Amino acid sequence: IQLTQSPSSLSASVGDRVTITCRASQDINSYLAWYQQTPGKAPKLLIYPASTSLSGVPSRFSGSGSGTDFTLTISSLQPEDFATYYCQQLSSYPRTFGQGTKVEIK
Amino acid sequence: QVQLQESGPGVVKPSETLSLTCSVSGASISSYFWSWVRQPPGKGLEWIGYIYHTGITDSNPSLNSRVTVLVDTSKNQFSLRLNSVTAADTAIYYCARHRAEGRGAFDIWGRGTMVAVSS
């Protein structure tokens, strides 16, 4: 299953609302996870399934979608949110990731 | 607190076998599924393979059957072997735990270990 994220990168300011999309090549129900990766660190699980944030994840992060189209939204971008975000499908093996979306400071 | 730690050589020669170990602390390796994920420098994430303590395992077909994932429950470790390596296998290699609930998103990751394929 191929996952296509858009955009590949974006520039935003602190306080901005940011939306990242992930499109699956076939129906994956709600079996989608979102990860955040900061430079030099391992990815961190933010959301799974598609709209459920993990305990301890700030409420400004939210996910939505099902089937083939998914969205990660950061409601008010904070300095620590500048990172690369990946989606991952857990519908079938092999597990696959999107190519990533890099969120940079404007 | 669950922690994963990758270990192994930082350099492997072309055509040889890459071998890495993931040591698990704070959790029993018998209670979860475990995976290896890699990330070439400056690129995205690629799932390599998973294992369960019973020996159930699967790997990414894109790696052309070069992957073996093993588990050692007595040491609370699991390992990766990737044979016939080329420069394309140069990457940071992460081990990760599958979350117990649902379809097993990767909720705990090691820090990663950089492996370069070079003569």
Side-chain angles (χ1 to χ4, degrees), chain A residues 35 37 42 48 86 91 95, chain B residues 39 50 94 103-104 106 109-110:
Chain A
Y35 298 85
Q37 186 178 35
Y48 179 75
Y86 293 93
S91 175
R95 298 295 196 239
Chain B
Q39 184 171 38
Y50 80 79
Y94 296 99
R103 292 294 185 98
F106 301 164
W109 295 65

Side-chain angles (χ1 to χ4, degrees), chain B residues 16-38:
Chain B
E16 295 192 346
T17 297
L18 179 160
S19 296
L20 297 174
T21 296
C22 182
S23 299
V24 179
S25 59
S28 170
I29 202 160
S30 299
S31 299
Y32 298 89
F33 285 74
W34 306 89
S35 269
W36 288 97
V37 176
R38 70 180 183 179

Side-chain angles (χ1 to χ4, degrees), chain A residues 20-99:
Chain A
I20 298 168
T21 64
C22 179
R23 175 163 288 176
S25 60
Q26 63 188 70
D27 188 338
I28 59 170
N29 202 313
S30 294
Y31 302 131
L32 189 96
W34 288 99
Y35 298 85
Q36 176 194 61
Q37 186 178 35
T38 53
K41 297 289 184 65
K44 173 187 174 184
L45 179 62
L46 296 177
I47 291 173
Y48 179 75
S51 58
T52 303
S53 296
L54 266 68
S55 174
V57 173
S59 59
R60 62 183 179 272
F61 289 94
S62 63
S64 65
S66 66
T68 60
D69 294 311
F70 302 86
T71 299
L72 173 68
T73 299
I74 309 172
S75 60
S76 178
L77 201 64
Q78 298 301 301
E80 59 269 30
D81 301 336
F82 292 95
T84 301
Y85 295 85
Y86 293 93
C87 56
Q88 179 201 27
Q89 64 82 17
L90 296 121
S91 175
S92 64
Y93 283 96
R95 298 295 196 239
T96 48
F97 294 88
Q99 81 277 18

Side-chain angles (χ1 to χ4, degrees), chain B residues 15-75:
Chain B
S15 80
E16 295 192 346
T17 297
L18 179 160
S19 296
L20 297 174
T21 296
C22 182
S23 299
V24 179
S25 59
S28 170
I29 202 160
S30 299
S31 299
Y32 298 89
F33 285 74
W34 306 89
S35 269
W36 288 97
V37 176
R38 70 180 183 179
Q39 184 171 38
K43 296 190 178 181
L45 301 166
E46 180 182 30
W47 174 75
I48 299 171
Y50 80 79
I51 193 156
Y52 191 54
H53 72 96
T54 56
I56 294 172
T57 184
D58 193 11
S59 61
N60 197 325
S62 69
L63 294 168
N64 300 320
S65 303
R66 297 189 293 129
V67 172
T68 302
V69 185
L70 302 169
V71 65
D72 186 337
T73 55
S74 68
K75 295 182 178 179

